[in-house]
Amino acid sequence: MLLAGLGSGSVRALAETPLPIVPATPAAQAGAVVPGDAAQMKMSFAPLVKKSAPAVVNVYAAKTLPQQRSPFAGDPLFEQFFGRQMQRQRPRVQSSLGSGVIVDSSGLIVTNNHVVADADEVRVALADGREFDARILSKDERIDLAVLKIEDSNPLPTLGIADSDRLEIGDLVLAIGNPFGIGQTVTNGIVSALARTHIGKNDFGFFIQTDAAINPGNSGGALIDVHGQLIGVNTAIFSRSGGSQGIGFAIPSNMVRVFVESAKKGGRFERPFIGASFVPVTRDVAEALGLDRPRGALVEDVIRDTPAAAAGLKAGDVVLAIDNFEVIDPDTLGYRLATAGIGRSAKLTILSGDKRESLDVALKPAPETPAADRRTLDGETPFAGATVANLSPRLADELDLPQEMTGVVVTAIQPGSFAARFALQPRDVILTLNGDAVGSAAALEKMAGNTRRGWRFEIMRDGEKLAQVVR
């Protein structure tokens, strides 16, 4: 590429200029290793692949789409000529292809949520050619993971789950999956970076970046270490062409482990609730606090009667580490809390004023207080057709909203309703109506029906306040 960009005269000049001969230094000679025998020349990843590949499967998901009604249906003239053909129309089926990893001999398979999301039918094909119907035990859009279950009377090959915290930049890794549906494929590379965040629209985790070739169809496949253990689940690529460009991302195995454990227990994946909100530490804040660089999670608010409050965490404190892992930003803290799991305590290293302290914070499930009190609104109001509920930390966690957020949230919208016409969406938090704060779902129902002159309301959507006026 560089020579192609030069003029022809420059190429000749370079060719005619003799290059100096630099003798190899003893250090360089010592670093060059020539294979000493045939066994060293035949070294390969083959034994590792033979051990690991049987546990990597292909995942086929199908979703039946609603049949679109012909604009000519019901017309006697058209049905006279085309009726039979119109009756033969079949519902459209949308299919997706991905990969998965057997992590338990009882038939538990981990894959990406986007491979099986909204699927009506899921099938799994093993490396030996056998196929099984699979059911979805658990799935979570935020971390893009799903756990499937297949039934077989014989033990299935599995991959052990490694500790992704031991992974280092430069470590060798193999990616195994089914790119483009051509069949099981193995690629190798190194760990290019760790703790990558905000890679996708709804990511929640520390992504492992690798240059091992990952392509469409590899989603849900295995990223394994040199010991043949699962170190990550391949989930995304950075590409301008749709193919691999040497920048792929995998969900760390420690996140996979806690997700699989929650599926084994029959529940959904939950983030621990501590009752505090955090913002990044800016350069100005770091300088004011005497930090050598912007790092940590700045406590913005602490809710009363929560684990954070009981531990002594205060607004203005900076969380520098959790369980001796450095906290770079609030995303780091969120990942560490999620992988720590519910039912234990975490040790926070904080900067409070000019002192460093250690606090033990209990990691508890998000409480469901206040009760949701879901109700579908009706009548001739902008909210008719919307199902609303009282926000609790638990419901906020389910909807991927800040756990400390309060108020009334829209959980569903009926198609064609007034609420849909006025562009209300699920996850919208209704803040005020005609200048009054909306305190509960019951209050909103009453307030909405008490006016005929108009409605002026504010909602919070994806962190932004929006105002709407309906006459």
Side-chain angles (χ1 to χ4, degrees):
M1 295 288 290
L2 178 61
L3 289 180
L6 298 173
S8 58
S10 299
V11 175
R12 285 196 298 270
L14 285 172
E16 294 167 358
T17 303
L19 297 176
I21 299 175
V22 181
T25 63
Q29 292 175 343
V33 179
V34 177
D37 54 34
Q40 291 183 358
M41 294 179 66
K42 293 180 180 178
M43 289 178 64
S44 76
F45 292 113
L48 192 62
V49 174
K50 288 180 181 178
K51 171 186 173 183
S52 306
V56 181
V57 302
N58 298 339
V59 178
Y60 304 92
K63 175 185 177 182
T64 303
L65 301 177
Q67 183 177 348
Q68 294 183 345
R69 181 177 173 85
S70 169
F72 303 110
D75 187 305
L77 179 61
F78 278 92
E79 286 190 353
Q80 179 180 354
F81 292 98
F82 304 108
R84 294 181 179 179
Q85 287 82 349
M86 292 172 66
Q87 290 176 3
R88 294 193 190 117
Q89 288 182 352
R90 296 180 179 179
R92 292 180 300 150
V93 177
Q94 185 182 63
S95 60
S96 63
L97 173 67
S99 306
V101 185
I102 306 175
V103 292
D104 190 281
S105 59
S106 65
L108 293 185
I109 297 170
V110 64
T111 185
N112 285 140
N113 174 76
H114 71 258
V115 173
V116 298
D118 301 321
D120 300 318
E121 180 184 359
V122 180
R123 288 189 64 80
V124 168
L126 273 60
D128 60 12
R130 290 182 295 163
E131 293 191 10
F132 298 87
D133 290 323
R135 58 189 176 94
I136 302 173
L137 286 187
S138 179
K139 59 181 179 178
D140 194 300
E141 183 181 3
R142 296 167 301 172
I143 57 175
D144 198 18
L145 286 176
V147 173
L148 312 178
K149 181 72 166 67
I150 61 175
E151 303 292 343
D152 189 19
S153 57
N154 300 313
L156 296 165
T158 63
L159 275 184
I161 301 179
D163 182 1
S164 53
D165 285 331
R166 294 181 177 273
L167 202 60
E168 295 185 8
I169 297 173
D171 283 351
L172 285 170
V173 289
L174 299 181
I176 308 177
N178 184 13
F180 299 110
I182 62 174
Q184 192 175 85
T185 302
V186 181
T187 55
N188 81 291
I190 63 169
V191 175
S192 305
L194 297 169
R196 294 298 197 200
T197 58
H198 299 291
I199 302 304
K201 181 179 178 181
N202 295 312
D203 67 32
F204 178 69
F206 259 11
F207 285 96
I208 301 167
Q209 182 181 329
T210 177
D211 67 346
I214 297 174
N215 288 287
N218 273 111
S219 291
L223 189 71
I224 65 171
D225 61 16
V226 293
H227 304 292
Q229 290 193 310
L230 184 71
I231 204 68
V233 170
N234 301 318
T235 190
I237 60 174
F238 181 87
S239 174
R240 300 185 187 278
S241 63
S244 174
Q245 292 184 326
I247 304 178
F249 302 97
I251 300 169
S253 56
N254 285 353
M255 179 65 82
V256 176
R257 179 185 287 107
V258 295
F259 187 80
V260 171
E261 288 301 321
S262 68
K264 282 183 179 180
K265 296 175 182 177
R268 70 177 187 87
F269 173 74
E270 292 185 68
R271 293 177 288 177
F273 173 75
I274 65 171
S277 58
F278 303 87
V279 295
V281 175
T282 63
R283 187 173 300 278
D284 291 339
V285 171
E287 185 176 349
L289 295 174
L291 295 173
D292 56 349
R293 65 186 188 280
R295 60 190 175 98
L298 178 64
V299 181
E300 184 180 40
D301 188 29
V302 177
I303 304 173
R304 291 187 304 173
D305 302 324
T306 61
L313 201 63
K314 304 182 298 296
D317 291 345
V318 178
V319 180
L320 300 176
I322 174 172
D323 291 336
N324 296 320
F325 290 106
E326 183 181 17
V327 172
I328 305 298
D329 52 28
D331 291 321
T332 309
L333 180 60
Y335 169 76
R336 292 297 177 189
L337 288 171
T339 53
I342 293 172
R344 57 176 296 266
S345 63
K347 180 180 179 181
L348 301 183
T349 302
I350 69 166
L351 179 65
S352 184
D354 57 355
K355 296 181 180 179
R356 296 199 179 202
E357 302 175 3
S358 292
L359 303 177
D360 290 327
V361 179
L363 305 182
K364 297 183 177 181
E368 197 169 6
T369 306
D373 187 25
R374 296 176 190 264
R375 52 183 69 201
T376 300
L377 307 184
D378 56 14
E380 295 184 357
T381 79
F383 307 101
T387 301
V388 297
N390 298 324
L391 257 181
S392 64
R394 183 179 181 85
L395 181 57
D397 182 61
E398 290 179 11
L399 298 176
D400 196 21
L401 294 169
Q403 291 179 322
E404 65 277 2
M405 184 173 283
T406 59
V408 176
V409 64
V410 177
T411 60
I413 297 290
Q414 293 178 352
S417 64
F418 283 131
R421 189 179 306 174
F422 290 110
L424 283 174
Q425 299 177 10
R427 298 180 66 248
D428 284 347
V429 179
I430 302 171
L431 304 175
T432 65
L433 175 58
N434 292 336
D436 296 323
V438 177
S440 67
L444 174 62
E445 185 175 36
K446 183 177 180 180
M447 295 164 67
N450 279 348
T451 180
R452 288 293 182 268
R453 291 179 297 177
W455 299 264
R456 185 180 70 258
F457 55 93
E458 285 184 321
I459 64 172
M460 179 73 73
R461 178 181 296 169
D462 296 330
E464 294 186 15
K465 277 188 179 181
L466 303 176
Q468 177 77 291
V469 177
V470 180
R471 299 293 181 185

